[in-house]
Amino acid sequence: EPEVTQTPSHQVTQMGQEVILRCVPISNHLYFYWYRQILGQKVEFLVSFYNNEISEKSEIFDDQFSVERPDGSNFTLKIRSTKLEDSAMYFCASSTLAGPGELFFGEGSRLTVL
Amino acid sequence: SQQGEEDPQALSIQEGENATMNCSYKTSINNLQWYRQNSGRGLVHLILIRSNEREKHSGRLRVTLDTSKKSSSLLITASRAADTASYFCATDAAGANSKLTFGKGITLSVRP
């Protein structure tokens, strides 16, 4: 069964360092998302992406964050200068439909900022 | 204000019993979804109910939606130990482009 894959599963980084989280969405999906979940808290929307541009972004998604679809398969989230509060599980998701119908989530990338 | 708040926050039941989880939200929605998350894993979509639907079934799952009360319930019948997980409701606000807003989740423990 097709699935969303994310790498790395866990990354530890020093504060101020750049981090790139990678996702391979399901191949025929057109809409891509990043969410994050700080330990023990709710899942928060970061950004949605369609047709090579951002559709919507949250207040969390400030200038330190960027997304890119560098080729036909990967979808990346970059954090330019990580802060301690960026420590969280980051989930990539994809869907076939505009506006969220069912989202297919990856297993997540756990980011730990020291 | 928070969209999508579930209650109870934690629920512990015996295998074979039914589990009922509730979700309330504040704004008008296009649809409401329920997701499951096993510990340390990704979210798995369970069921979607549209704003013009009142009830939906999928296997052992039954979801209701009351738009007048801005609330939804998820019923899992004949629970199994494998149903132990966190359950989240997520809403797609009417007029919103593309984002789902998740609640804080309910931790369900099913004792064998």
Side-chain angles (χ1 to χ4, degrees):
Chain A
E1 184 170 328
E3 59 182 16
V4 176
T5 57
Q6 291 186 241
T7 54
S9 57
H10 189 190
Q11 181 155 357
V12 181
T13 190
Q14 294 291 323
M15 192 169 56
Q17 294 296 303
E18 176 183 284
V19 161
I20 297 176
L21 305 178
R22 291 183 168 80
C23 170
V24 179
I26 295 173
S27 61
N28 64 339
H29 286 188
L30 301 175
Y31 302 88
F32 314 114
Y33 311 84
W34 284 101
Y35 286 78
R36 79 171 186 191
Q37 185 180 32
I38 295 172
L39 187 63
Q41 298 188 27
K42 60 167 56 180
V43 177
E44 300 173 295
F45 170 79
L46 293 178
V47 67
S48 58
F49 191 86
Y50 168 69
N51 201 26
N52 283 322
E53 59 183 26
I54 291 173
S55 303
E56 190 173 355
K57 60 183 181 180
S58 72
E59 292 175 354
I60 302 168
F61 194 88
D62 61 21
D63 292 344
Q64 293 299 313
F65 290 86
S66 62
V67 288
E68 194 178 32
R69 188 156 163 81
D71 52 42
S73 60
N74 290 284
F75 179 50
T76 62
L77 174 69
K78 181 191 291 186
I79 309 174
R80 288 191 184 82
S81 178
T82 50
K83 308 184 188 77
L84 294 176
E85 54 264 36
D86 293 328
S87 294
M89 184 75 98
Y90 288 81
F91 292 104
C92 175
S94 67
S95 69
T96 57
L97 300 173
E102 176 181 355
L103 296 189
F104 292 79
F105 282 85
E107 291 291 326
S109 292
R110 179 169 297 284
L111 176 63
T112 302
V113 182
L114 302 176
Chain B
S1 63
Q2 293 190 15
Q3 185 83 332
E5 294 196 29
E6 300 95 339
D7 77 270
Q9 291 188 340
L11 181 61
S12 180
I13 59 174
Q14 198 72 35
E15 202 166 29
E17 293 180 340
N18 295 341
T20 299
M21 292 167 271
N22 302 302
C23 168
S24 61
Y25 58 91
K26 295 190 186 301
T27 64
S28 296
I29 61 171
N30 292 322
N31 64 61
L32 184 144
Q33 305 181 42
W34 285 90
Y35 286 80
R36 186 183 77 196
Q37 184 183 34
N38 288 359
S39 181
R41 306 292 298 275
L43 293 101
V44 175
H45 179 265
L46 294 176
I47 195 164
L48 180 154
I49 186 164
R50 303 195 186 284
S51 60
N52 62 353
E53 296 176 312
R54 292 296 166 256
E55 187 172 314
K56 203 160 181 181
H57 297 254
S58 176
R60 293 184 297 114
L61 304 180
R62 173 178 167 255
V63 170
T64 63
L65 179 64
D66 186 334
T67 53
S68 67
K69 295 181 180 177
K70 291 187 168 59
S71 67
S72 172
S73 68
L74 172 68
L75 168 68
I76 304 175
T77 60
S79 63
R80 305 167 183 166
D83 294 329
T84 295
S86 292
Y87 291 81
F88 296 85
C89 70
T91 52
D92 159 21
N97 235 358
S98 56
K99 74 175 186 184
L100 279 181
T101 301
F102 285 82
K104 290 183 179 178
I106 299 168
T107 301
L108 173 66
S109 298
V110 182
R111 303 185 301 273

